[in-house]
Amino acid sequence: MSPAPVLAGWRHVSSGKVRELYVPEGTADVASASELLLVASDRVSAYDFALEPPIPGKGELLTRLSRFWFTRLADVPNHLIAPSAGGTPVPESVASRSMHVMPLEMFPVECVVRGYLVGSGWAEYQESGSVCGVALPEGLSNGDRLPEPIYTPAYKAPQGEHDENISYEQTEELVGATAAAQLRDLSLRVYSEAAAIALERGVVIADTKFEFGRDGTGQIRIGDEVLTSDSSRYWDARSGNRTESFDKQIVRDWLSANWDRQGTPPVLPEAIVTRTAERYRELIERLGA
């Protein structure tokens, strides 16, 4: 992993699998910061590993996608700090792949919404006829659209550990009944609005995950990224194969075929890196982001 860039006016405090976190110089820590800078790298992760090599331009493309959705979903509060609000200047060298944001007290919940039956949901459905405890009609096939989107939260585990699917009732225990209902309703609303926008452009959002937090006033806001190719499954609605991905499923599929998930993941071949970058760019063009 290459070192985080040194940025004038900002101090690097931590590295995630794909992003770097900064606080203003002179700020003791994240807890006391009034503003943060999230800088997206070109790293790609799968199965809780950061992989090699990076995907060229990925950080800029996914930042552009998040900004597009934050703008289109402007009626839902988010963590972006508007340029007019001032604060510590964002260095030009990372401006295209960074987000200047307010600190949030994040909920320990991954807010997952599924509009289609795929991935781990399909595997669970074959065994139990349900997904994360949500009963579904009989006779569905892999890739089928669900009768209506379903909310299937997960507990957000500390970095390096696996997130764990939980029931809605467990979410209430974690964050309280009122907040749990707000997270569920916001997640379903944002997914439905975004899915309709994407479908008009020939793109299916099969599923996605959101992260929410409270700002200093108690307002719930979308944090982290939103509806990117890392946090969502995007399919081509115009293709004969609607599960043809615009996301990192290309990487997951190659890993599944070439790695037993033991030890260090193999290096991604150039063809997979190139194809993934091409699909990320194609999605941006298709959405008009």
Side-chain angles (χ1 to χ4, degrees):
M1 184 184 297
S2 58
V6 176
L7 303 177
W10 296 90
R11 181 172 66 84
H12 180 255
V13 291
S14 66
S15 296
K17 289 193 287 288
V18 298
R19 277 185 293 279
E20 309 292 348
L21 178 63
Y22 294 78
V23 297
E25 285 183 351
T27 303
D29 51 30
V30 173
S32 60
S34 60
E35 54 181 329
L36 303 171
L37 189 66
L38 291 174
V39 179
S41 72
D42 290 344
R43 297 190 295 270
V44 63
S45 68
Y47 305 122
D48 295 318
F49 283 89
L51 309 173
E52 293 290 344
I55 307 296
K58 174 179 177 287
E60 182 175 343
L61 290 170
L62 267 60
T63 299
R64 187 171 162 185
L65 197 53
S66 272
R67 288 176 180 166
F68 166 79
W69 284 117
F70 281 135
T71 299
R72 291 304 306 264
L73 303 166
D75 57 330
V76 180
N78 62 64
H79 65 161
L80 291 183
I81 294 175
S84 59
T88 306
V90 176
E92 185 61 32
S93 61
V94 296
S96 64
R97 57 187 180 95
S98 64
M99 290 191 290
H100 189 195
V101 303
M102 62 185 71
L104 300 178
E105 182 181 355
M106 301 302 291
F107 292 103
V109 177
E110 292 273 8
C111 297
V112 181
V113 180
R114 304 169 189 261
Y116 291 74
L117 187 60
V118 68
S120 62
W122 166 241
E124 184 178 343
Y125 173 80
Q126 290 177 288
E127 294 180 358
S128 65
S130 64
V131 175
C132 298
V134 180
L136 296 175
E138 295 181 358
L140 296 178
S141 300
N142 189 23
D144 277 356
R145 184 173 183 171
L146 299 176
E148 59 183 359
I150 60 174
Y151 177 68
T152 58
Y155 170 67
K156 187 169 176 55
Q159 187 171 326
E161 299 180 24
H162 293 284
D163 293 343
E164 176 187 352
N165 291 336
I166 57 176
S167 66
Y168 180 75
E169 290 70 26
Q170 287 173 299
T171 305
E172 291 182 312
E173 294 173 6
L174 280 171
V175 303
T178 299
Q182 290 173 314
L183 295 181
R184 177 197 61 203
D185 295 347
L186 270 171
S187 297
L188 289 168
R189 171 187 160 194
V190 173
Y191 170 81
S192 296
E193 289 182 14
I197 292 169
L199 196 57
E200 291 175 352
R201 293 157 172 77
V203 175
V204 167
I205 304 176
D207 56 33
T208 193
K209 63 180 179 180
F210 304 108
E211 294 187 42
F212 294 92
R214 291 190 189 275
D215 66 17
T217 70
Q219 171 75 63
I220 293 179
R221 296 177 177 271
I222 299 180
D224 198 52
E225 60 187 348
V226 62
L227 293 157
T228 70
S229 305
D230 274 8
S231 64
S232 316
R233 280 189 174 90
Y234 279 100
W235 298 342
D236 190 346
R238 300 171 183 169
S239 169
N241 175 14
R242 71 179 177 192
T243 60
E244 188 175 343
S245 297
F246 287 109
D247 53 62
K248 66 178 180 180
Q249 191 62 41
I250 300 165
V251 171
R252 293 193 196 98
D253 290 345
W254 185 86
L255 279 178
S256 295
N258 294 275
W259 182 47
D260 61 3
R261 302 198 198 182
Q262 301 297 313
T264 303
V267 172
L268 299 174
E270 183 178 351
I272 294 298
V273 171
T274 300
R275 179 61 175 156
T276 303
E278 288 174 347
R279 293 298 280 176
Y280 280 12
R281 286 193 293 271
E282 187 176 347
L283 175 62
I284 290 281
E285 293 169 2
R286 181 76 67 86
L287 291 174

